[in-house]
Amino acid sequence: MRRLLALITAMTPMIALAQSVPTLTPRVTLAGPNGMNAAFATKADATNGTLTTPTINGGTLDGAQSITTTSGITQSLASLLGQQINVVNYGAIAGGTDSGTAVQNALSTAANRFPVYFPYSAYGYTLNSGAYTGKEIGTWLLNGNTIRGNAIGTPNSGGGTLISPYTNPWLIATDQKSVYDPAAVPQGSNETMAAVSQECLPNRVNGQNANTSRNWITCLYAGADTGSGGTSGVDVSTEVANWVLNISGNHGLTAEFDTNFNAAVTDGQWSTGLFLTGGGPAGTNVNSIALNIQHAAYDGSWLPWTVGISIREATNQIQQYKASASEAGFFQQAFDQSGNTLWQVDKNGYAKAVGFVSMATGNPAFSARAANADDFVATRASATDTGFFFRGYDESGNTLASLDKRGSATVAGLINTNHTGESASSTCTVGEMHADDLNIYVCTSAGTYKVAALTAIK
């Protein structure tokens, strides 16, 4: 009996243990690809284990994990995330806290010119520390954030540094700023380095087009809408593009438009270097200028030499056409500082000029023909009006011909073949003198001619 009790006592834990083992349905074996051994071999903490579509809640990654892209390039997770320089990852905090140090650290990391990214915040970011010049190379993705603080300079006073363009520190970049240094890129003997290159391949018929005979494309389009609500006295200014070139000892072009003819233009259409167009519905009350040229020093004074428009090597320099017989207006108008007309040509061909100066070589400097009016009229303003109606000089400044406002004339050389055959009784104006093959006629103060035979003159 004592032996039986001892045996029962020894077996009791084993019975209890057997009762705690769960039942697997369907039955699972230890061996085989679906067995317990295979399942335990690929559990999460197994060495070199594989997780397929897992769900991870919380936890920490140290960045040493390997990431293989679809192209087969393997790199660490930390390296992959580091290719997007996010200022928040370097300690920047949206709001009023100074994030200057964090942004400086992000810039130092972005020496390889990765974009520096500012996550959007309704408040934006404050940068009170750090020094910037506006020439930091790279691309800034500002994402419409408001950037404030001492480190950004004073754009309103022309002293913007961080988020203002270097060439125009009055402006404020709000979405993207990119700075490129061509001096940092080696150039060949005939090369020109471009910061941004955007090209459109040749346009041609596409069989999938709804209209295969009309194929229009735009390589680059920049548009802006001024919006509604314009009111007199309120300045709502919108610029589609603002091109700035700072000249500091070296020449440059603000914009260059090249129309290169590489082959015959077989469609027979016009190719245009610069095309300006605009319009709106009929009756729109609008003041519009297709091209506005203002060329002077900042204070309004004259530059040493300046030309508003210069046209060279063109067969026809300016052509202007009237669209219809009823079209009114002017081809050209010019005004003085008080708005008075100095020169104008209307669309009926009538011209008006307050003063006229003409220079020509090999052709008459001025030629006029009138059907019902004098070709030229000059009127003295008053009896005390001095000066000349006309003066002509040679290359040394000597007078060739002149007619002053008293009526006195000077002519270096004179040939007169008019009024031949005058009689002594013919009325005339004092000072008139004529000659023919027989006589010379001189008008006296009596208003008649004195006649002298040429044979009497030795």
Side-chain angles (χ1 to χ4, degrees):
M1 180 61 69
R2 287 196 299 270
R3 292 180 180 177
L4 181 57
L5 292 174
L7 178 61
I8 294 173
T9 303
M11 293 179 62
T12 300
M14 296 178 62
I15 296 173
L17 181 60
Q19 292 176 344
S20 64
V21 176
T23 301
L24 300 178
T25 303
R27 185 178 180 182
V28 178
T29 63
L30 293 177
N34 297 322
M36 296 294 292
N37 289 338
F40 284 126
T42 57
K43 66 183 187 301
D45 58 352
T47 302
N48 297 324
T50 302
L51 299 178
T52 303
T53 63
T55 299
I56 300 175
N57 296 319
T60 301
L61 298 177
D62 60 7
Q65 291 74 22
S66 295
I67 304 293
T68 301
T69 63
T70 56
S71 59
I73 304 299
T74 300
Q75 57 187 314
S76 68
L77 176 62
S79 174
L80 183 63
L81 295 178
Q83 294 175 20
Q84 174 69 72
I85 307 300
N86 188 327
V87 295
V88 172
N89 294 337
Y90 292 82
I93 300 174
T97 303
D98 180 21
S99 296
T101 300
V103 172
Q104 287 280 8
N105 292 338
L107 274 179
S108 299
T109 305
N112 50 6
R113 304 186 185 183
F114 289 145
V116 178
Y117 176 74
F118 286 74
Y120 176 74
S121 166
Y123 183 92
Y125 298 84
T126 301
L127 306 180
N128 285 324
S129 58
Y132 304 94
T133 63
K135 295 189 291 184
E136 287 76 16
I137 300 174
T139 301
W140 299 65
L141 303 179
L142 302 170
N143 294 300
N145 282 290
T146 298
I147 310 295
R148 54 174 62 86
N150 300 329
I152 69 168
T154 56
N156 290 337
S157 301
T161 56
L162 176 64
I163 56 176
S164 293
Y166 176 72
T167 54
N168 194 343
W170 279 266
L171 300 181
I172 300 175
T174 58
D175 189 62
Q176 178 177 318
K177 177 187 175 184
S178 181
V179 179
Y180 166 77
D181 184 8
V185 182
Q187 297 189 31
S189 58
N190 296 313
E191 298 174 357
T192 299
M193 307 313 249
V196 177
S197 176
Q198 178 172 326
E199 300 184 40
C200 295
L201 295 179
N203 191 17
R204 51 202 176 276
V205 175
N206 184 347
Q208 298 178 355
N209 289 353
N211 183 350
T212 57
S213 63
R214 181 187 183 277
N215 297 273
W216 288 12
I217 62 171
T218 297
C219 192
L220 178 63
Y221 176 80
D225 192 335
T226 62
S228 59
T231 304
S232 177
V234 176
D235 185 3
V236 180
S237 179
T238 301
E239 296 176 344
V240 175
N242 188 330
W243 306 90
V244 177
L245 173 66
N246 290 340
I247 303 297
S248 300
N250 298 302
H251 76 280
L253 296 176
T254 302
E256 179 178 345
F257 299 89
D258 292 331
T259 302
N260 298 322
F261 298 95
N262 298 325
V265 183
T266 55
D267 63 2
Q269 302 301 312
W270 292 90
S271 297
T272 305
L274 178 62
F275 178 67
L276 301 176
T277 182
T284 301
N285 183 17
V286 61
N287 295 320
S288 177
I289 299 176
L291 179 63
N292 190 337
I293 299 176
Q294 300 180 18
H295 198 46
Y298 289 132
D299 61 0
S301 61
W302 300 108
L303 296 174
W305 183 80
T306 176
V307 176
I309 297 178
S310 178
I311 304 175
R312 303 182 183 184
E313 300 178 7
T315 302
N316 297 320
Q317 294 192 343
I318 297 178
Q319 286 186 322
Q320 297 168 296
Y321 294 88
K322 183 168 64 172
S324 64
S326 60
E327 182 178 0
F330 293 85
F331 285 127
Q332 296 180 23
Q333 280 186 292
F335 306 93
D336 65 12
Q337 66 277 6
S338 300
N340 302 314
T341 299
L342 295 177
W343 160 261
Q344 67 183 31
V345 179
D346 67 19
K347 290 188 175 180
N348 290 319
Y350 292 98
K352 176 183 178 181
V354 174
F356 184 87
V357 178
S358 177
M359 294 179 291
T361 302
N363 294 299
F366 178 78
S367 177
R369 177 182 297 175
N372 301 302
D374 296 332
D375 286 347
F376 177 78
V377 176
T379 304
R380 185 171 64 180
S382 65
T384 58
D385 188 6
T386 60
F388 291 83
F389 289 124
F390 170 79
R391 301 180 77 179
Y393 303 94
D394 65 11
E395 65 280 359
S396 300
N398 301 313
T399 299
L400 295 177
S402 67
L403 177 63
D404 65 20
K405 292 187 176 180
R406 296 175 301 173
S408 300
T410 299
V411 181
L414 175 63
I415 299 175
N416 192 329
T417 59
N418 295 325
H419 296 277
T420 58
E422 300 288 357
S423 66
S425 61
S426 298
T427 58
C428 57
T429 302
V430 177
E432 286 188 18
M433 182 176 65
H434 310 291
D436 56 25
D437 290 339
L438 299 176
N439 303 305
I440 183 171
Y441 309 90
V442 179
C443 186
T444 66
S445 59
T448 57
Y449 286 107
K450 289 290 185 179
V451 181
L454 294 179
T455 56
I457 301 175
K458 294 182 179 180

